[in-house]
């Protein structure tokens, strides 16, 4: 049995700042008090200890307090993604069999029309019932359920337990270190593991969070320049926007800023070099919903020596490459206390692991010094004339061209070759397709050069700003 | 299953310094390589995976490597205390049923005469056998067995598992923080939990240890002044020697030095104030063999506001006061993943916990803000005329007198009162017993003033320099 994180943190460091949002701050004691009050309000709606509850709202303190209230009640929280369509949400509500839906007022229009729900405002104004907040949680208790698309088309509801989240946070601290004055900037969605894990770390570490409800790149860049924050989680595209803003301002990161954790897919090498020039330490990480955030992270001392690597596993984790080819490339498999015990709903009977190993479907290799390199997601693999083509490799080349702002590559069916790669790009400045193809031909084997390059205004991305290569063709 | 700490750390940060002893250093890779070699040498002696092995030697790299070799073989290590008598060692060897005794050459004379043993030097020169070093350890695997005297007279062999040590190290880092460049000075015995936990932290954190085989106060003070080290574990008497040395040199601690963890019983308030004047942060901690090191520690922000407190529990731990009296004082009980699953040998059937709580036998209270104050060890309680007298309270008063260097108080049988307190003191400068009693009378209720004060050269202490009050009368 482990302590209720919210009560324990409020007991240990009640007066430390826990959360700052638009210049208003909460201490750990205040967050605990408000979330206990909210739990008392939830029980009057008929919500009981251990119920499965769906929850949706923008990244604001109200959402944090609502989540903590659910955690006090040991509810399993189905974390609804605000960017989904009504059909996609309807699938998750049905599949999860959530007994209630808690929704921020401004998000109510996003719900499928026939949904029964409780508005945050109504809960916050409601009566308070009697509640026994348990002081201890078992390791196997499900804290969160997050849906991931996977390769089958039907999203799977992934369970993340108290033990998973604790293991992730403690393994992470052994890698990146900790000081009482550390402050995490959270501009990734709280409904994704990238954001929720920042809440868990805050509770376990006693660190403050600077919360953003949208990606305000000007304010974020200012925080980084001023040293208001020490850590931040980014994906490639948000990292690029920060780099661009700092470059435009001719400014560098404050020496108080410690680390960007970059996840959600590979970061182009070009970005890492630009970040280095701006005094911005970037640690590439590798993780996923099924591993409750990071599995591997590049240690600070290796950042420049192993550019492009996702590093080594965190202390309690293990990585194995299954069925490697002659070059050592194969499926990345993961083992450790941070790995999900399994799924709910339609996939409840599916084993998450084989012999204790999570088979990720991602392709990578471990170099002679033990560093993981994630080459690509298996589902994105393009096979053209028997040659394997990894989209990220082509994207990396396209992004080295100064006129290219964003790039996404996928396979297109082709009579002759089976598949051929095509590219979708967002431009910074005028450039012809012919010029760009000529540029690629200088850097890539001919069969890897995109047969078509489509100039567009934006690329399809999910709620965590991860590029969705499979949606490019649509 | 969790990774073998030694292999995992060598994999993650092979080139970081792991250990420094008398100007020679080892990296984590070197410690791993040497300990694997030593494991290969141990198997040729007939030692098998999982065997229970007794081990004794001074705090030198040879001992560290020998311990790591035993850990590679998943042996249960009975940590023999070098300061014990032959009779006491004979009891532990018999009680533990250790199948082999590994002994540093210089310690062989300490063993009971009929003991069969393997000298470190013979092992280090021996042949290497084939060995399969397992890469994973189960949480319930016993890593170490340490004997504690307790109140019954018969020492109990306490099991400390992989899970206990991991929980202790991870909970500790959430309290005191971590940076890659942290260096722990280890001048506490490796056979005690205070020293062994420094090894565990080094493996989990990737931090360097400055190892001392004796308490060389001049060299240690120099390390602290020069900022060679950032952390150190002390007990009251060693802390006093460091304070005294710094005061004599009119020097302060380097700003690189972060924290003294002070355990093994209460630290006199006077020492804390002197440390503060020397720029030396001291965190009082409360822990014991059964809790694999710290259970509670005073957070840095509370150090001056709650002088004398052992702080609050570490994040994964809980503390409860059983059967408190009207003032809230009662037996301190502890719960958490760091608590031993139990004992071996004569006490194998004894439950370490009741309903999940370890009853420590120590007396304390938790103040209105949740801070633990350890008043005294139950076995040392003096009852005089129906009044409870806590020796530490009298010692604290004696130590505030500038002429008093060390003080120990215990109960002496008395016809009239049942018991009366008497004091044993070590002086800095000339002082009469009458003067000191007059001094006490100013600060203490009359029944607490020691009826006898005996001036002596030294006080009885155990291997960890903890005052042994029960031996004072002998």
């Amino acid at each position: 049995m482990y302590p209720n994180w919210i009560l324990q943190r409020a007991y240990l460091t009640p007066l430390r700042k826990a959360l700052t949002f638009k210049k208003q701050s909460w201490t750990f004691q205040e967050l605990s008090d408000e979330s206990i009050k909210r739990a008392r309000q939830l029980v009057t709606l008929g919500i009981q200890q251990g119920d499965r509850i769906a929850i949706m709202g923008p990244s604001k303190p109200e959402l944090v307090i609502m989540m903590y209230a659910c955690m006090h009640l040991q509810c399993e929280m189905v974390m609804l993604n605000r960017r989904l369509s009504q059909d996609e949400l309807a699938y998750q509500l049905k599949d999860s069999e959530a007994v209630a839906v808690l929704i921020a007022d401004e998000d109510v229009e996003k719900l499928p029309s026939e949904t029964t729900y409780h508005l945050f405002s109504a809960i916050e104004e409601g009566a308070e019932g009697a509640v026994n907040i348990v002081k201890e949680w078992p390791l196997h208790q499900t804290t969160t359920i997050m849906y991931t698309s996977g390769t089958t088309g039907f999203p799977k509801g992934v369970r993340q337990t108290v033990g998973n989240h604790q293991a992730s946070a403690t393994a992470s601290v052994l890698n990146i270190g900790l000081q009482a004055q550390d402050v995490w900037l959270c501009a990734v969605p709280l409904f994704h593991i990238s954001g929720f894990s920042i809440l868990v770390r805050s509770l376990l570490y006693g660190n403050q969070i600077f919360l953003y409800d949208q990606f305000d790149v000007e304010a974020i860049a200012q925080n980084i320049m001023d040293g208001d924050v020490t850590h931040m989680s980014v994906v490639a595209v948000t990292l690029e926007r920060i780099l661009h803003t700092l470059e435009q301002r001719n400014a560098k990161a404050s020496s108080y800023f410690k680390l960007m954790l970059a996840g959600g897919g590979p970061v182009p090498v070009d970005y890492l070099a630009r970040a280095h020039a701006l005094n911005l330490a970037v640690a590439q990480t590798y993780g996923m919903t099924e591993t409750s955030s990071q599995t591997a992270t590049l240690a600070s001392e290796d950042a420049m020596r192993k550019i492009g690597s996702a590093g080594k596993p965190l202390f309690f984790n293990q990585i194995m490459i299954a069925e490697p080819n002659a070059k050592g490339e194969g499926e990345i498999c993961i083992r450790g206390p941070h790995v999900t015990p399994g799924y709910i709903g339609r996939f409840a009977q599916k084993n998450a692991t084989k012999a204790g190993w999570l088979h990720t479907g991602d392709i990578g290799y471990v170099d002679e010094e033990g560093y993981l390199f994630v080459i690509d997601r298996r589902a994105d693999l393009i096979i053209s004339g028997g040659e394997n083509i990894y989209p990220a490799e082509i994207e990396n080349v396209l992004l080295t061209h100064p006129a290219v702002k964003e790039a996404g590559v996928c396979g297109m069916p082709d009579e002759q070759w089976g598949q051929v790669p095509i590219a979708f790009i967002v431009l910074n400045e005028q450039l012809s397709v012919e010029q760009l193809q000529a540029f690629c031909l200088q850097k890539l084997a001919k069969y890897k050069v995109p047969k078509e390059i489509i100039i567009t205004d934006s690329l399809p991305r999910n709620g965590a700003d991860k590029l969705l290569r499979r949606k490019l063709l649509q």
Side-chain angles (χ1 to χ4, degrees), chain A:
Chain A
M1 300 296 282
Y2 284 74
N4 171 329
W5 304 331
I6 303 154
L7 295 181
Q8 183 77 343
R9 176 48 63 194
Y11 166 33
L12 298 184
T13 55
L15 303 180
R16 274 198 208 168
K17 275 192 191 175
L19 183 66
T20 293
F21 178 76
K22 294 190 193 295
K23 310 208 165 159
Q24 193 181 353
S25 290
W26 286 255
T27 65
F28 285 105
Q29 186 66 58
E30 289 166 344
L31 279 189
S32 178
D33 291 346
E34 294 195 29
S35 59
I36 289 171
K37 177 180 176 181
R38 200 72 72 249
R40 292 200 180 110
Q41 292 166 320
L42 286 174
V43 294
T44 64
L45 304 176
I47 291 172
Q48 299 183 343
Q49 201 170 0
D51 275 350
R52 189 172 291 165
I53 303 292
I55 187 165
M56 182 159 79
S59 290
K60 294 183 177 179
E62 300 85 277
L63 178 65
V64 174
I65 289 163
M66 199 65 75
M67 286 177 174
Y68 287 5
C70 290
M71 289 158 67
H72 281 309
L73 296 175
Q74 298 180 288
C75 289
E76 301 184 352
M77 293 185 286
V78 179
M79 313 291 261
L80 297 179
N81 180 334
R82 301 177 69 223
R83 304 190 192 174
L84 295 186
S85 68
Q86 293 191 344
D87 282 358
E88 289 167 313
L89 291 173
Y91 167 85
Q92 294 187 10
L93 291 174
K94 180 157 183 275
D95 184 69
S96 66
E97 302 179 276
V99 300
V101 178
L102 314 181
I103 183 110
D105 298 41
E106 62 207 276
D107 279 354
V108 71
E109 297 297 324
K110 299 179 196 283
L111 286 178
S113 50
E114 69 284 12
T115 311
T116 310
Y117 55 81
H118 302 287
L119 283 179
F120 281 9
S121 63
I123 300 166
E124 289 161 8
E125 289 157 16
E128 295 178 41
V131 60
N132 176 32
I133 307 284
V134 298
K135 290 187 178 164
E136 294 184 341
W137 296 339
L139 281 185
H140 59 78
Q141 175 183 311
T142 296
T143 305
T144 42
I145 294 164
M146 297 184 188
Y147 277 83
T148 59
S149 14
T151 54
T152 63
F154 289 105
K156 301 195 289 286
V158 179
R159 293 173 54 204
Q160 296 156 333
T161 64
V162 167
N164 291 153
H165 287 299
Q166 282 189 182
S168 174
T170 52
S172 180
V173 80
L174 297 180
N175 178 260
I176 62 173
L178 173 66
Q179 290 185 289
Q181 61 270 34
D182 287 347
V183 180
W184 281 81
L185 194 156
C186 178
V188 284
L190 293 176
F191 55 77
H192 272 295
I193 189 60
S194 55
F196 190 78
S197 64
I198 295 175
L199 295 184
V200 176
R201 287 194 286 261
S202 169
L203 290 170
L204 268 63
Y205 303 174
N207 286 153
Q208 188 184 181
I209 296 173
F210 261 50
L211 186 65
Y212 278 87
D213 60 345
Q214 44 193 321
F215 192 78
D216 180 347
V217 69
E218 294 295 331
I220 291 169
Q222 196 66 47
N223 288 153
I224 292 169
M225 287 161 55
D226 293 348
D228 300 329
V229 298
T230 57
H231 295 79
M232 179 178 178
S233 300
V234 290
V235 294
V237 67
T238 51
L239 175 61
E240 200 283 333
R241 291 184 60 194
I242 293 167
L243 298 177
H244 181 73
T245 305
L246 290 173
E247 286 162 350
Q248 291 290 99
R249 296 196 190 180
N250 204 17
K252 293 202 174 194
S254 158
S255 63
Y256 287 103
F257 188 84
K258 292 182 184 173
L259 197 64
M260 287 275 187
L261 279 184
V267 176
V269 174
D270 176 48
Y271 295 0
L272 297 173
R274 287 166 63 197
H276 186 65
L278 294 167
N279 194 26
L280 200 60
V282 177
Q284 238 197 123
T285 72
Y286 173 63
M288 60 197 65
T289 305
E290 286 88 342
T291 64
S292 301
S293 184
Q294 304 164 74
T295 275
T297 298
L298 195 62
S300 52
E301 65 231 66
D302 300 322
M304 292 315 296
R305 199 169 63 86
K306 291 283 179 181
I307 282 182
S309 168
K312 293 177 178 176
L314 301 190
F315 194 86
F316 297 124
N317 310 342
Q318 297 174 70
I319 286 174
M320 170 184 77
I321 303 298
E323 300 175 19
N325 65 15
K327 290 155 78 182
E329 300 163 350
E331 184 176 16
I332 301 169
C333 298
I334 298 172
R335 183 172 166 88
H338 64 320
V339 172
T340 179
Y343 306 95
I344 64 161
R346 168 194 288 261
F347 295 98
Q349 301 310 314
K350 179 182 161 73
N351 287 324
T353 55
K354 294 181 206 165
W357 290 90
L358 175 75
H359 288 248
T360 64
D362 292 344
I363 302 298
Y365 66 93
V366 173
D367 77 3
E368 69 285 351
E369 289 185 81
Y371 289 81
L372 175 68
F373 287 78
V374 182
I375 306 172
D376 212 341
R377 304 269 158 173
R378 177 176 289 258
D380 296 332
L381 187 65
I382 304 166
I383 304 181
S384 186
E387 292 283 353
N388 287 0
I389 300 177
Y390 297 114
E393 190 184 356
I394 302 173
E395 288 159 10
N396 272 340
V397 168
L398 289 167
L399 286 163
T400 61
H401 193 292
V404 175
K405 192 177 174 198
E406 294 177 50
V409 169
C410 67
M412 184 172 68
D414 183 84
E415 272 189 29
Q416 188 175 5
W417 304 105
Q419 280 184 301
V420 292
I422 65 168
F424 295 78
I425 58 170
V426 180
L427 286 178
N428 277 323
E429 56 187 81
Q430 208 58 13
L431 184 75
S432 77
V433 166
E434 290 70 26
Q435 284 173 305
L436 198 51
Q437 283 180 320
F439 175 78
C440 287
L441 201 52
Q442 290 172 3
K443 312 234 176 186
L444 288 172
K446 194 174 176 198
Y447 71 88
K448 294 184 187 171
V449 176
K451 295 301 165 283
E452 283 184 44
I453 296 180
I454 295 112
I455 294 166
T456 178
D457 289 327
S458 68
L459 299 182
R461 296 184 183 275
N462 75 356
D465 272 323
K466 252 162 76 168
L467 180 64
L468 296 171
R469 294 205 185 87
R470 269 155 281 160
K471 293 207 172 169
L472 285 170
L473 272 182
Q474 302 159 16

